[in-house]
Amino acid sequence: TKQLQKFLCDESKTIAIENILNYSKFIKLTKDTKKEFNKYHPGVKIVHSKGTRRGTLLIELQTEEEAKAIVKQWNSECFSDNAEGTVNKTHATLLKDKNCKGIMYDIDHEHSEDFIANEVKKSNLKMDVTIRRFMKGSKKMSTVMITFGCKEDLDQALKYGVKVGNSPEDVHLYKPTPKVVQCFKCFKFDHTKVWCSKKKKKKK
């Protein structure tokens, strides 16, 4: 979180966007970043944006209300960059709520991510949720991750659980395994080649 705070001043006005395929295209506030964002959110002004070394795009807006509204109605095709036919969905959360993730086990393989999201939302939550089912190759697993829109919703789900179909399900706090990031330019760790400060050797 220290790395995220270092270039943005207000976490409550900042959106954290993950699962971007063509990440290097949007790591700075360029015309491409503004164009892609305003394609789905016309008229909304970006105050500042920055990519992190961990692959998250941070976009700071003018007000907290704007940020909350956009997270609530987030279109997963924004920044998805499906030009080559690759299907992926981006996820957006408020930076202050970035770690609001839970895990559910033994979820029916027949349930789609959209179905689970709609069912979980019925549990008197304030904001929408994003569901990602874990995969083993092309095979669906019974474990799913829930990204909640705010900490209050996460706390409620951890305490009371949620319903998926007619089945009550427990929600557990998601504790991610630390991700090892290596640069393939200098081969050191904790950054990628996009962020590498090592200078190229001059040819003699």
Side-chain angles (χ1 to χ4, degrees), residues 3 5 10 24 28 30 60 72 81 84-85 92 123 128 131 166 178 193 201:
Q3 184 194 351
Q5 290 173 338
D10 195 333
S24 60
K28 295 180 180 178
T30 62
E60 185 179 359
K72 191 170 184 178
D81 196 33
E84 298 178 2
S123 302
D128 289 337
I131 300 293
N166 295 320
K193 65 179 182 180
K201 290 183 179 180

Side-chain angles (χ1 to χ4, degrees), residues 90-106:
T90 57
H91 310 296
T93 53
L94 285 176
L95 182 54
K96 69 173 186 176
D97 296 327
K98 189 176 181 296
N99 296 320
C100 293
K101 293 180 179 179
I103 289 284
M104 293 192 299
Y105 303 102
D106 301 320

Side-chain angles (χ1 to χ4, degrees), residues 104-115:
M104 293 192 299
Y105 303 102
D106 301 320
I107 302 300
D108 195 320
H109 292 79
E110 299 300 316
H111 293 334
S112 69
E113 293 178 347
D114 288 340
F115 173 80

Side-chain angles (χ1 to χ4, degrees), residues 1-11 14 16 18 23 27 48-60 95 98-99 179-181 189-192 194-196:
T1 318
K2 288 180 181 177
Q3 184 194 351
L4 303 184
Q5 290 173 338
K6 137 172 126 171
F7 25 72
L8 292 173
C9 55
D10 195 333
E11 291 189 2
T14 303
E18 298 174 294
Y23 172 68
I27 60 173
H48 181 59
S49 79
K50 187 80 173 181
T52 73
R53 295 180 182 183
R54 298 287 181 174
T56 301
L57 177 63
L58 305 175
I59 293 181
E60 185 179 359
L95 182 54
K98 189 176 181 296
N99 296 320
K179 187 177 179 182
V180 178
V181 177
F189 293 93
D190 204 33
H191 69 277
T192 63
V194 176
W195 293 90
C196 188

Side-chain angles (χ1 to χ4, degrees), residues 11 16-17 59 107 124 139 143 156 158 184 195:
E11 291 189 2
I17 306 164
I59 293 181
I107 302 300
N124 296 319
K139 186 180 178 182
T143 303
Q156 178 181 315
L158 291 173
F184 291 103
W195 293 90

